[in-house]
Amino acid sequence: MDKKIDQIIRKAMDGGEINEEELLGLLSVHYLSEESFMIRYASRKMSEAASGGKAEVHAQVGIDNGPCPKNCGFCSFAAVNKVFPQPMVRSLEEVIASCLTLEADGANAVYLMETAKYPFADFIRMAKEVKAALKPETTFIANTDDFDDDGARALKKAGFHGIYHVVHMGEGTTTAIHPRTRLKTIAAAQKTGLLIGTAVEPIGPEHTKEEIIEKTMLIREIRPVHAGAGGRVHISGSVLEDHGVLTSAQTSLIIAAVKLAVGYRVRGHCGGLEIGAMTGVNLTWAEVGSNPRDTETNTVKGSTVKLRQDELREAGWEVLEGPSAMFGTTA
Ligand code: SF4
C-alpha cells in the first residue's frame, strides 16, 4: 500500500478536507490496484456515515424530448446528435400518471425533467398540476434549463424542494452553455431556498484528471445535498461517440475519489450502480418518459423503483422509506 495514498485516505476518513493535489493522487492510482480498493472502501464507509446507512431511489419523469438547441454532445436530445429530429411532448395526464405510479412505488423523490427547448412557463404550469396531484409530503425536484431569480421563485412557488443541476464536463466546449450560466442558476436556486443535487458528469476517457478535480472542487463549494460522479453513456452516432466510454471499474474509482473529496457533509452520492453501490453510491434513479440516454421515443433506458431498490439492497444498503432525507424532507 502506497504510504502517501494511505495518508490521504485517512485524512478524508478522519473528516479532513483533501486538497487538489491529494485528489489528483487518488485519481492517479490504477483502477485495479490495492490502493483503488482502499479508496472505494473509504468512500463506502463515508457514504454510509453521511446517510445513516440509508440509500435512496429517486424517480424522474421526462416530459419532452429533442431536438434541443443547447447541443450537449453527450445527450441524445441534442439537435446535433440527430437522434430525435422531431420534438415530442407528453400529455399532462400521462405525466401525472407516471409521477403517481413512481410515488406509489416508493420513490423517495419525484423529479420532473424538461429539455432546454421546452418553454419554462409551460414547465411551471405542468409542475403545479403535478404537485397538486402528489401527496403533500412527497419530495419534488426539478431538472430544468437554466433560469434566473424569477425562475427560481417560480419553481419554489410551484412546490419544488430542489433542483438537479450540473456544470457538465466540457461545459461550454461540448455544450452551447457557458459554465457561468450554470453557476448563476445554482446561485439563484440557493438564494430562493431550493436545495441542489449535482455530480461530476458525464465523464469520458478524453477528460483530464484536472477537469475532474476542477468540477469536484466546484461541487464542494456549492454545498449540495448530494454529489456523485457518472460516466458518459454510449449513444450511437453522437458527436462524442469516437471517444468511447469508461468502464464501470474505471468510473467507480472516480466515484470513490469524489466522495473522499466532498466529505461527510454531503449526504447523498450518486453514480452507476453495481460496482458503484459497493463503492459508496447511495442514490440512484428510476426513470419514466424521456431521458437523455434514449435513442427511441418509447424506449426508456432507465429502471423501475423496485429494481433500483433491489440493486441497492444487493449491495448491502438499507433503502429509506418515505420522503428524501437527502433533500431534508425526512429527518
Ligand atoms: S443535456 Fe439538456 S440542455 Fe443539453 S442538449 Fe440535452 S436536453 Fe438540451
Side-chain angles (χ1 to χ4, degrees):
M1 179 77 181
D2 182 281
K3 256 198 173 144
K4 204 150 177 244
I5 298 297
D6 187 45
Q7 278 169 3
I8 301 168
I9 294 172
R10 279 174 202 287
K11 180 178 173 183
M13 288 191 86
D14 288 346
E17 198 164 82
I18 66 172
N19 61 32
E20 296 184 10
E21 201 191 324
E22 290 165 334
L23 179 54
L24 178 62
L26 298 181
L27 291 168
S28 299
V29 307
H30 188 271
Y31 69 93
L32 293 178
S33 63
E34 179 186 0
E35 289 77 13
S36 81
F37 282 91
M38 284 308 294
I39 295 166
R40 292 187 184 95
Y41 168 79
S43 167
R44 170 71 187 239
K45 285 292 173 204
M46 289 175 69
S47 218
E48 280 176 8
S51 61
K54 301 251 174 93
E56 299 189 18
V57 176
H58 295 185
Q60 175 161 280
V61 177
I63 62 179
D64 71 314
N65 61 32
C68 177
K70 296 291 164 76
N71 277 331
C72 306
F74 48 81
C75 174
S76 63
F77 301 146
V80 72
N81 284 334
K82 300 187 179 79
V83 177
F84 296 101
Q86 296 300 328
M88 191 281 291
V89 181
R90 300 177 79 212
S91 70
L92 174 64
E93 293 68 31
E94 250 185 291
V95 170
I96 289 179
S98 297
C99 290
L100 292 180
T101 303
L102 293 166
E103 181 187 60
D105 287 349
N108 304 107
V110 173
Y111 290 47
L112 266 198
M113 187 203 74
E114 57 151 11
T115 69
K117 193 178 167 57
Y118 191 71
F120 191 74
D122 292 352
F123 180 78
I124 294 290
R125 262 194 296 277
M126 192 178 269
K128 284 180 178 164
E129 302 274 2
V130 172
K131 175 73 183 171
L134 290 170
K135 292 181 194 156
E137 66 272 23
T138 295
T139 310
F140 195 35
I141 309 298
N143 185 351
T144 76
D145 189 15
D146 288 293
F147 51 81
D148 57 13
D149 288 354
D150 287 344
R153 280 191 286 272
L155 288 167
K156 188 92 172 85
K157 224 172 143 195
F160 287 108
H161 298 100
I163 61 166
Y164 181 74
H165 216 71
V166 170
V167 182
H168 298 106
M169 298 293 289
E171 198 81 87
T173 307
T174 54
T175 74
I177 310 168
H178 197 287
R180 212 169 29 237
T181 308
R182 307 295 283 172
L183 289 170
K184 273 186 173 171
T185 297
I186 290 170
Q190 287 185 314
K191 203 157 57 160
T192 319
L194 291 163
L195 298 168
I196 312 294
T198 190
V200 180
E201 61 119 339
I203 309 167
E206 77 279 17
H207 293 126
T208 61
K209 294 183 184 71
E210 286 68 26
E211 187 176 357
I212 295 172
I213 293 166
E214 179 223 321
K215 297 292 188 297
T216 306
M217 294 302 165
L218 201 67
I219 282 182
R220 192 162 73 186
E221 256 176 61
I222 288 170
R223 293 180 168 247
V225 298
H226 80 76
R232 183 175 59 241
V233 172
H234 172 84
I235 296 170
S236 285
S238 83
V239 290
L240 298 177
E241 186 180 19
D242 287 351
H243 291 298
V245 293
L246 295 172
T247 62
S248 300
Q250 291 168 320
T251 313
S252 72
L253 171 63
I254 302 173
I255 290 171
V258 170
K259 180 64 201 168
L260 266 58
V262 298
Y264 292 100
R265 198 168 63 190
V266 183
R267 188 164 187 150
H269 205 62
C270 67
L273 281 187
E274 296 171 351
I275 305 174
M278 289 299 290
T279 291
V281 167
N282 61 359
L283 168 62
T284 183
W285 283 273
E287 286 163 331
V288 172
S290 52
N291 82 56
R293 296 178 299 286
D294 284 346
T295 46
E296 289 168 44
T297 303
N298 295 318
T299 307
V300 177
K301 295 185 176 159
S303 186
T304 65
V305 173
K306 167 89 172 64
L307 276 170
R308 289 302 195 207
Q309 289 174 334
D310 287 348
E311 284 173 301
L312 287 164
R313 288 191 187 108
E314 283 291 322
W317 286 98
E318 196 184 323
V319 178
L320 180 81
E321 282 181 27
S324 171
M326 289 172 194
F327 277 93
T329 35
T330 284

